[in-house]
Amino acid sequence: MTTPLVFIDGDQGTTGLQIHQRLRHRTDLQLLRLDPRFRKDPQHRAEAINACDIAILCLPDDAAREAVASIHNPSVRVIDASSAHRTTPGWTYGFAEMGAGQAQAIARAKRVSNPGCYPTGAIGLLRPLLQARLLPADYPVSINAVSGYSGKGRAGVDEYEGENAVQAPAFQVYGLGLTHKHVAEIAQHSGLVHRPLFVPAYGAFRQGIVLTIPLQLHLLGAGVTGQTLHACLTEHYAGQPPVQVMPLADSKALTLLDPQVMNDTDDLRLMVFEHGQQVLLAAVFDNLGKGAAGAAVQNLDLMIKQLP
């Protein structure tokens, strides 16, 4: 196999910088970089995309669609880190641990859509339970999540670290119109038949996510308990090191969840809490790791193995 040529379109953004830092010292691939003068020039970007083996798009949605439309070289493969193609037919969803055969599908795919940060936690918790029919597909799911401000991209970093940082709030809930772009992605890839109620927020910390999903056991099937749900998650992710299901005894000993505890890792930690007829599903991970750059590099490594 020849050394693959990888082009990161948008390598100056939050996710693009992270991916570049992870790849720049690797000797099993080559990075194609544009002269800074041409980073926003459509012609030079199109030439670079068509010259590479794998393009990683770290762009706004519309720009990502334009980049894909500019590809005329049939051998070019794409990893799109935007939300432009996450529910688009023909694109492979880049969550390798999501189900049996998903990693192999990513490895063979021409077009891979990197999961969103919040959907990584939500789908990671919901999909195994829905597939096992422990959670009804029409369950009225509510999702609450808090991310570090880097989840807002460079604008969020500037808001909290720039010259006007003193004005930034310590905590802000957003998506109040209940039309957040991640909702359709979560519903489609988890297997829900109704849109979940999703309430996202930013905190005054740079990176990390804590996401929780409350469940009422009396709305589930007879005999379903927190232990049943935990056993399902444990079995689903057995042998998949990036996803850790915390033992029930360890989660029971917790008194709080720190959204930053998984920072600087590419792991996803899942937990189940239970009291009486109520269960709380929880996920903690780095929004820049498993929630973005880490997943993109994981998908890249899978795809490289399939290059001629």
Side-chain angles (χ1 to χ4, degrees):
M1 183 182 76
T2 58
T3 304
L5 188 60
V6 177
F7 173 52
I8 306 170
D9 194 357
D11 63 0
Q12 296 304 299
T14 305
T15 299
L17 283 170
Q18 286 272 327
I19 295 172
H20 181 263
Q21 289 171 5
R22 291 161 183 260
L23 300 181
R24 62 182 176 177
H25 296 306
R26 286 180 50 166
T27 58
D28 61 331
L29 55 81
Q30 299 179 64
L31 283 178
L32 172 60
R33 301 203 72 189
L34 283 179
D35 184 297
R37 293 174 299 169
F38 304 131
R39 283 186 183 135
K40 295 185 179 181
D41 182 272
Q43 181 177 344
H44 283 86
R45 288 174 50 226
E47 290 174 356
I49 289 176
N50 283 283
C52 73
D53 294 299
I54 300 176
I56 304 176
L57 309 181
C58 303
L59 303 166
D61 288 2
D62 287 344
R65 294 186 186 98
E66 292 172 2
V68 172
S70 75
I71 297 173
H72 56 76
N73 181 347
S75 66
V76 174
R77 305 170 75 192
V78 177
I79 300 170
D80 184 6
S82 82
S83 62
H85 298 102
R86 291 176 185 158
T87 59
T88 301
W91 284 72
T92 299
Y93 196 59
F95 190 167
E97 299 80 23
M98 184 172 75
Q102 193 67 17
Q104 291 79 6
I106 294 167
R108 296 189 300 266
K110 298 283 288 186
R111 301 288 184 264
V112 173
S113 185
N114 222 48
C117 54
Y118 294 126
T120 296
I123 294 165
L125 288 166
L126 292 170
R127 185 180 174 97
L129 306 182
L130 286 158
Q131 285 186 328
R133 298 187 178 181
L134 296 176
L135 187 66
D138 61 353
Y139 189 91
V141 169
S142 295
I143 303 166
N144 294 276
V146 182
S147 169
Y149 52 76
S150 61
K152 199 174 182 179
R154 294 187 66 174
V157 174
D158 290 343
E159 183 180 359
Y160 282 87
E161 298 180 9
E163 59 185 21
N164 296 320
V166 68
Q167 301 174 11
F171 183 83
Q172 49 185 311
V173 176
Y174 67 103
L176 302 181
L178 306 182
T179 58
H180 195 285
K181 63 183 180 180
H182 286 330
V183 172
E185 177 184 352
I186 293 170
Q188 177 171 312
H189 295 293
S190 66
L192 291 169
V193 298
H194 300 305
R195 290 167 57 89
L197 180 62
F198 176 49
V199 184
Y202 290 125
F205 53 95
R206 197 175 208 276
Q207 63 198 80
I209 284 179
V210 59
L211 178 146
T212 57
I213 302 173
L215 300 176
Q216 300 287 347
L217 290 179
H218 71 272
L219 297 178
L220 307 185
V224 176
T225 66
Q227 186 170 357
T228 310
L229 301 174
H230 180 271
C232 176
L233 293 172
T234 301
E235 180 180 358
H236 182 89
Y237 294 111
Q240 303 194 76
V243 183
Q244 310 164 6
V245 182
M246 181 178 285
L248 281 172
D250 292 351
S251 58
K252 189 174 183 179
L254 293 176
T255 57
L256 55 84
L257 291 176
D258 180 357
Q260 303 178 84
V261 73
M262 302 301 289
N263 280 5
D264 301 316
T265 78
D266 294 332
D267 295 339
L268 171 65
R269 179 174 293 172
L270 307 180
M271 290 148 283
V272 178
F273 303 91
E274 180 178 18
H275 178 75
Q277 287 294 299
Q278 296 178 325
V279 163
L280 185 69
L281 308 176
V284 178
F285 54 106
D286 187 346
N287 61 293
L288 299 181
K290 185 61 171 170
V297 173
Q298 181 184 10
N299 291 329
L300 174 67
D301 288 338
L302 289 168
M303 295 169 75
I304 284 176
K305 294 177 182 177
Q306 293 296 313
L307 288 173

